[in-house]
Amino acid sequence: MRHVLGVLAAATVALSTFSASATQYANPGLLCRESPSAYIGALTWDYISAQNATISDVKAYCPIVSVAAITKVTLRVCTNSSAYGFLQSYSISYDNSVGELLFIDTVNASGVSCTSLDSFPPAYTYAGTVEAELQRQTVNGNNKIVTYVVED
Amino acid sequence: MKRLSVGIFIAVLTASSAASATTYYFSGDQCQANAADVYVHPYFGSYNISTTNARNVWCGSSGVAIASGGITSVVATVYDRHATSGQDVACTLSLFSSAGGTPTYQSTATTSSWSYSPMTLSWTGISATGANFATLYCVLPAATGYGASHIANFKVTN
């Protein structure tokens, strides 16, 4: 009997450890759009990313999908902002389960390269939106949002 | 008693480590379009309603949990309403790791003829390291008297 109890205890620990591990959801930047419903024509998409190929600044909105409370969002972005000295701005708004705004985190990127930006929402965060302020295109290329990984 | 405890342990291990496939479904109406004359129907997907030009749409999986085995199959349901040979619905599937970059898998599937009925474009038996999410890039031929070509939905299994 002692063997059985020992094995059951070990199994319980193993199962609880297994279920407590975080799950990640990787999303392509091409899910981002200029508006929830209308075609505007400033953003373009490729096989993975959403990018601003115009000579005006554009805002892109990316829906965040998760199953449980969100603990982390990581943006993978590419910027060429050093050409004009711009700072690329990315804001992530977080909602609770009834859609009330909990928190807005703003992360920035600059230079001519791709980089990852982390954002950590408060507890009880269940939904959100990435708002990417994509500066105008430059001779170095287009500013873009490549992926965003949600962890819960 | 020892045999019983070993049996319980094996059963628990099997239950906790068995890799079960999960399929995620997406409506074609969440695809992005490169022109205003792609019509997004609230139930049935993205239609090319231009009677003169083919149009492109980009679709992506969202909320697919990263699984150790990666994405193993993708199936898209499309409608090809252009009767001219060579004017077909063509979709390129790309799979990526969570960091993006170069696709870990890329392949194009094309309808072979027009039909009033739905057709499936399938990519199955995929084995690609780090295939964490999927995108579809589809070319929809111009609308004809048979209707407007469109992508209705797609599903991703990992």
Side-chain angles (χ1 to χ4, degrees):
Chain A
M1 179 56 80
R2 224 177 340 171
H3 280 121
V4 174
L5 291 176
V7 167
L8 283 178
T12 304
V13 170
L15 281 177
S16 59
T17 303
F18 190 77
S19 61
S21 61
T23 302
Q24 289 187 321
Y25 310 90
N27 305 292
L30 64 74
L31 294 174
C32 307
R33 56 184 63 199
E34 296 154 72
S35 150
S37 58
Y39 171 80
I40 300 173
L43 276 188
T44 60
W45 303 274
D46 55 22
Y47 289 116
I48 182 169
S49 65
Q51 56 189 318
N52 178 8
T54 74
I55 56 171
S56 302
D57 299 345
V58 171
K59 283 186 178 178
Y61 299 90
C62 324
I64 292 175
V65 176
S66 71
V67 173
I70 301 165
T71 56
K72 181 182 176 183
V73 174
T74 301
L75 305 180
R76 180 76 177 165
V77 300
C78 295
T79 175
N80 58 50
S81 57
S82 69
Y84 290 132
F86 288 137
L87 194 63
Q88 289 284 121
S89 175
Y90 304 87
S91 298
I92 303 104
S93 63
Y94 295 105
D95 296 347
N96 61 17
S97 60
V98 293
E100 295 167 332
L101 182 62
L102 275 178
F103 176 66
I104 297 177
D105 193 12
T106 300
V107 288
N108 297 305
S110 63
V112 184
S113 63
C114 298
T115 188
S116 293
L117 306 167
D118 290 336
S119 174
F120 300 92
Y124 310 112
T125 296
Y126 289 93
T129 302
V130 176
E131 181 186 87
E133 171 86 37
L134 299 172
Q135 301 286 354
R136 55 170 296 178
Q137 83 174 169
T138 74
V139 292
N140 295 319
N142 302 327
N143 291 304
K144 61 180 73 173
I145 179 162
V146 182
T147 63
Y148 57 110
V149 179
V150 179
E151 190 170 310
D152 68 14
Chain B
M1 183 57 75
K2 187 175 282 184
R3 217 180 327 178
L4 175 61
S5 61
V6 170
I8 291 172
F9 189 57
I10 291 173
V12 169
L13 270 184
T14 304
S16 61
S17 64
S20 59
T22 303
T23 299
Y24 301 83
Y25 296 84
F26 304 95
S27 171
D29 64 10
Q30 58 95 38
C31 300
Q32 311 271 21
N34 71 336
D37 51 9
V38 171
Y39 170 65
V40 178
H41 191 281
Y43 311 118
F44 306 130
S46 294
Y47 292 62
N48 179 11
I49 57 173
S50 167
T51 55
T52 54
N53 296 308
R55 294 298 188 199
N56 308 325
V57 294
W58 291 263
C59 318
S61 65
S62 62
V64 173
I66 293 176
S68 58
I71 290 170
T72 55
S73 79
V74 175
V75 178
T77 301
V78 301
Y79 289 76
D80 182 346
R81 295 288 172 75
H82 203 300
T84 303
S85 176
Q87 297 293 312
D88 303 309
V89 176
C91 293
T92 299
L93 168 68
S94 302
L95 304 180
F96 296 90
S97 71
S98 54
T102 305
T104 60
Y105 174 92
Q106 193 168 59
S107 176
T108 300
T110 307
T111 56
S112 55
S113 62
W114 86 277
S115 175
Y116 280 119
S117 302
M119 287 175 267
T120 55
L121 299 177
S122 301
W123 299 262
T124 57
I126 299 169
S127 178
T129 304
N132 297 141
F133 64 88
T135 68
L136 281 173
Y137 162 69
C138 296
V139 179
L140 304 174
T144 68
Y146 300 115
S149 295
H150 59 285
I151 175 168
N153 59 58
F154 64 101
K155 59 184 179 180
V156 173
T157 300
N158 67 6

